[in-house]
């Protein structure tokens, strides 16, 4: 039996953990029902001082979000980069989410604070022509809602990356790096209650940049198309 490793890069807010689970648990909740019989799920906390198994030990890799910032280049995050580069070189299937998206893009590109500020809430994402033809994204609608909460973005693409989705805030909502390696800025693992908890926690910061938190809360909706990416990724392993 082979394993899909969920690389944990941070913790959710305490109230989110208490009511809904931490980042890795949100992934597990979405993946469990669709997990093929030949796969198990493993969690590796990249912040812990442990020696990871080589990428070839895993059938696939998912990288969670984090409240850390990629541009801060924290030691644990920088130490993870060579492992991810090896996984890319060995063509291991990968899906990075939010921090994972920005970290994968930082392997040759630049991730930093978005000049327009934070993007939070349920927002529309649109596929590019490459996205419409992509094996992971290609069966999604051309436009679909997704849950988002991020202050940093991919500012400059790494060499060879292909943009699969964008929106009015972020030109790099989804990227492909190789035949089986992707990353997304949005959170396919988030449910509406989790998104609501994030906006409630961020109300002051959102008001300071001219956003209306109550309008964002009212606009939260389910995002089945975005969530389906997790199950579709499993099917490609």
């Amino acid at each position: 039996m082979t394993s899909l490793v969920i690389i944990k890069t941070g913790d959710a807010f305490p109230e989110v953990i208490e009511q809904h689970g931490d980042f890795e648990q949100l992934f597990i909740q979405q993946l469990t029902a669709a997990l093929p019989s030949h796969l198990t799920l493993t969690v590796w906390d990249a912040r812990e001082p442990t020696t990871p198994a080589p990428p070839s030990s895993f059938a696939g890799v998912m990288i969670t979000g984090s409240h850390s910032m990629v541009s801060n280049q924290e030691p644990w995050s920088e130490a993870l980069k060579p492992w991810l580069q090896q996984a890319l070189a060995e063509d291991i299937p990968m899906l990075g989410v939010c921090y994972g998206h920005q970290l994968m893009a930082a392997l040759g590109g630049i991730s930093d604070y978005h000049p327009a500020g934070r993007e939070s809430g349920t927002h529309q994402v649109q596929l590019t022509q490459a996205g419409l033809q992509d094996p992971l994204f290609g069966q999604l609608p051309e436009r679909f809602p997704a849950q988002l909460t991020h202050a940093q973005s991919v500012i400059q693409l790494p060499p060879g990356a292909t943009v699969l989705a964008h929106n009015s805030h972020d030109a790099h909502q989804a990227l492909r790096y190789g035949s089986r390696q992707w990353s997304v800025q949005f959170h396919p693992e988030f449910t509406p209650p989790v998104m609501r908890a994030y906006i409630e926690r961020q109300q002051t910061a959102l008001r300071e940049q001219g956003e209306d938190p109550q309008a964002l809360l009212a606009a939260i909706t389910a995002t089945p198309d975005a969530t389906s990416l997790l199950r579709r990724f499993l099917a490609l392993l």
Side-chain angles (χ1 to χ4, degrees):
M1 187 173 290
T2 56
S3 179
L4 166 66
V5 62
I6 299 171
I7 301 179
K8 177 180 172 69
T9 64
D11 296 305
F13 291 126
E15 64 270 25
V16 172
I17 296 173
E18 181 180 355
Q19 297 175 28
H20 309 289
D22 208 346
F23 286 134
E24 74 278 14
Q25 293 163 324
L26 297 177
F27 279 90
I28 291 169
Q29 289 162 17
Q30 297 289 356
L31 292 168
T32 298
L35 195 68
S37 59
H38 69 281
L39 277 181
T40 61
L41 296 175
T42 301
V43 177
W44 164 35
D45 192 331
R47 302 165 301 172
E48 297 294 328
T50 57
T51 301
S56 59
S57 302
F58 302 106
V61 178
M62 286 187 176
I63 312 165
T64 74
S66 177
H67 295 169
S68 297
M69 298 296 170
V70 168
S71 66
N72 288 346
Q73 298 183 331
E74 296 184 36
W76 64 265
S77 185
E78 291 299 288
L80 180 55
K81 284 182 175 180
W83 193 96
L84 296 177
Q85 288 174 319
Q86 183 180 350
L88 285 167
E90 294 178 355
D91 196 31
I92 307 301
M94 300 173 66
L95 179 64
V97 171
C98 197
Y99 189 92
H101 167 71
Q102 297 162 17
L103 186 61
M104 287 178 67
L107 302 175
I110 298 173
S111 295
D112 209 335
Y113 287 96
H114 194 293
R118 179 179 297 278
E119 182 182 32
S120 290
T122 307
H123 297 283
Q124 291 292 314
V125 171
Q126 181 165 338
L127 296 180
T128 63
Q129 284 302 308
L132 291 168
Q133 299 169 19
D134 183 77
L136 182 62
F137 285 79
Q139 293 184 24
L140 298 183
E142 187 173 356
R143 284 174 57 85
F144 58 91
Q147 313 292 9
L148 286 137
T149 174
H150 65 112
Q152 295 205 332
S153 293
V154 176
I155 304 300
Q156 180 177 310
L157 296 179
T162 300
V163 179
L164 302 180
H166 61 93
N167 69 1
S168 59
H169 180 88
D170 198 322
H172 307 135
Q173 285 285 351
L175 302 175
R176 184 179 67 236
Y177 305 84
S179 62
R180 302 192 296 171
Q181 296 83 30
W182 299 268
S183 68
V184 296
Q185 182 57 70
F186 55 87
H187 284 272
E189 80 282 14
F190 272 23
T191 61
V194 173
M195 189 72 259
R196 190 169 295 110
Y198 264 79
I199 293 179
E200 288 173 347
R201 170 64 82 107
Q202 296 168 349
Q203 288 191 58
T204 299
L206 290 167
R207 288 195 189 97
E208 288 176 351
Q209 70 174 41
E211 301 270 5
D212 181 351
Q214 294 307 310
L216 292 172
L217 286 167
I220 292 173
T221 186
T223 57
D225 293 312
T227 300
S228 72
L229 285 173
L230 298 178
R231 297 186 295 273
R232 289 180 54 75
F233 180 77
L234 286 180
L236 294 173
L237 299 182

